[in-house]
Amino acid sequence: MGFRLANVDGRAALVAGDDYYDLENLSGSRLGSDPMAALDQLDQLHELATELADQAPTGTLVDVTLGPPAPRPQKSFGIGLNYKSHAEESSMELPEHPVVFTKFPSCLCGPTTEVELRSDGCDYEGELVVVIGPGGKDIAADDAWKHVAGLTVGQDISDRPAQFMAKPPQFNLGKSFDTFGPIGPLLVSVDELADRNDLRIRTEVNGEVRQDDTTANLIFDVPTLIAHLSQITTLVAGDIIFTGTPEGVGAAQGKFLADGDVITTTIDGLGTMTNRCVRVSDFTS
Ligand code: ZN
């Protein structure tokens, strides 16, 4: 049976419907409270998920503020230009190899955290986010899904001036400002999904649909990305991959994020994140 994992005040919890169940309590302290540690215990999460109907919930989700389901990954990757439509709107050639950059783990935040803008050129990028479970090196694409703890929704917020400031461009810092990586609301195990390779993904800003596509249009799919990255670096539980964004980013339309904007990101089967933007001090290079 599949599971849905949440980060409630820094504590791992399983979710059923609107209710959550504190993982440490639910497991009789066999498992600890750390959401990162839970990502290495997938068999137990699957097993405990079957017992929720017999347990009293710890509380309901509407009463709590969720944190990122993988709050402290050792590594956090982003993939650029991974949808044909987005490569075209960016006037870039289709990549022959994955375009990989770093989003520093320190930029990660929860599914309702305010996004702090430091320029008038900040942009949204709704993305499917993969969270690694059992780690590995040189993982074959055919085995890759076995190394996935689950999937979640993400926003790869990008300060475009900072992203393209240097020549040649270095994406890492322009995509790693604090609060530039909202993820959530839940980590959903892959067996909960009707088709893990075809998930509708949408981004709205102030209710206006800006992005609407399906992950079936990824150029480099999840197994390919895991096989690629794991040849270079050993993947460990909790590592995350922002898999790239479809067309409709603000830069292609001259519609950048502004103070008070509300970004709503939904992936069918995974849930919805709502992040409000606040314009803070200017970044000066
Ligand atoms: Zn991106």
Side-chain angles (χ1 to χ4, degrees):
M1 182 174 175
F3 65 84
R4 292 169 180 264
L5 186 70
N7 172 352
V8 180
D9 294 327
R11 295 181 64 87
L14 289 177
V15 171
D18 297 329
D19 295 326
Y20 70 90
Y21 301 75
D22 185 87
L23 188 63
E24 186 173 14
N25 294 341
L26 184 69
S27 67
S29 298
R30 271 185 296 133
L31 298 180
S33 63
D34 184 355
M36 295 303 293
L39 296 170
D40 214 7
Q41 301 289 340
L42 300 188
D43 289 345
Q44 296 203 54
L45 297 183
H46 284 285
E47 189 182 317
L48 287 166
T50 65
E51 301 169 9
L52 297 182
D54 302 328
Q55 305 289 328
T58 309
T60 57
L61 291 175
V62 291
D63 294 330
V64 297
T65 302
L66 296 177
R72 299 183 315 281
Q74 183 191 81
K75 298 181 287 298
S76 169
F77 301 99
I79 309 298
L81 304 174
N82 203 16
Y83 288 78
K84 182 167 176 281
S85 56
H86 175 56
E88 288 172 354
E89 75 173 351
S90 304
S91 304
M92 303 289 272
E93 285 179 28
L94 293 188
E96 293 179 29
H97 311 281
V99 178
V100 184
F101 55 88
T102 298
K103 281 182 83 71
F104 289 105
S106 50
C107 81
L108 297 174
C109 60
T112 58
T113 302
E114 288 191 337
V115 173
E116 297 184 357
L117 313 176
R118 286 176 182 263
S119 82
D120 295 323
C122 294
D123 209 345
Y124 51 85
E125 295 190 353
E127 308 202 1
L128 174 70
V129 170
V130 175
V131 180
I132 297 296
K137 175 84 170 171
D138 296 320
I139 297 168
D142 286 347
D143 294 331
W145 281 110
K146 295 178 203 154
H147 292 266
V148 174
L151 302 174
T152 191
V153 184
Q155 270 290 340
D156 173 21
I157 304 291
S158 308
D159 184 311
R160 300 298 186 198
Q163 182 183 352
F164 293 104
M165 188 169 54
K167 301 284 183 266
Q170 299 291 319
F171 286 12
N172 307 339
L173 292 178
K175 289 168 169 282
S176 290
F177 285 74
D178 287 353
T179 73
F180 272 22
I183 58 172
L186 308 174
L187 179 131
V188 178
S189 67
V190 174
D191 51 353
E192 286 275 285
L193 302 167
D195 185 348
R196 64 194 182 189
N197 297 308
D198 184 5
L199 302 170
R200 187 180 177 195
I201 175 168
R202 278 161 292 158
T203 302
E204 297 177 11
V205 178
N206 303 330
E208 179 185 79
V209 177
R210 299 286 182 84
Q211 299 185 288
D212 189 352
D213 207 329
T214 161
T215 61
N217 289 329
L218 283 168
I219 296 172
F220 302 104
D221 62 11
V222 171
T224 302
L225 294 174
I226 289 173
H228 180 81
L229 293 169
S230 70
Q231 291 179 70
I232 299 163
T233 177
T234 302
L235 297 178
V236 299
D239 283 349
I240 69 176
I241 308 167
F242 285 76
T243 57
T245 202
E247 74 174 325
V249 300
Q253 312 173 50
K255 293 180 175 176
F256 293 103
L257 294 168
D259 186 57
D261 279 356
V262 176
I263 310 165
T264 309
T265 320
T266 301
I267 298 181
D268 287 357
L270 302 182
T272 295
M273 293 197 306
T274 303
N275 300 92
R276 188 171 174 277
C277 300
V278 289
R279 183 70 168 84
V280 296
S281 60
D282 286 332
F283 171 62
T284 54
S285 55

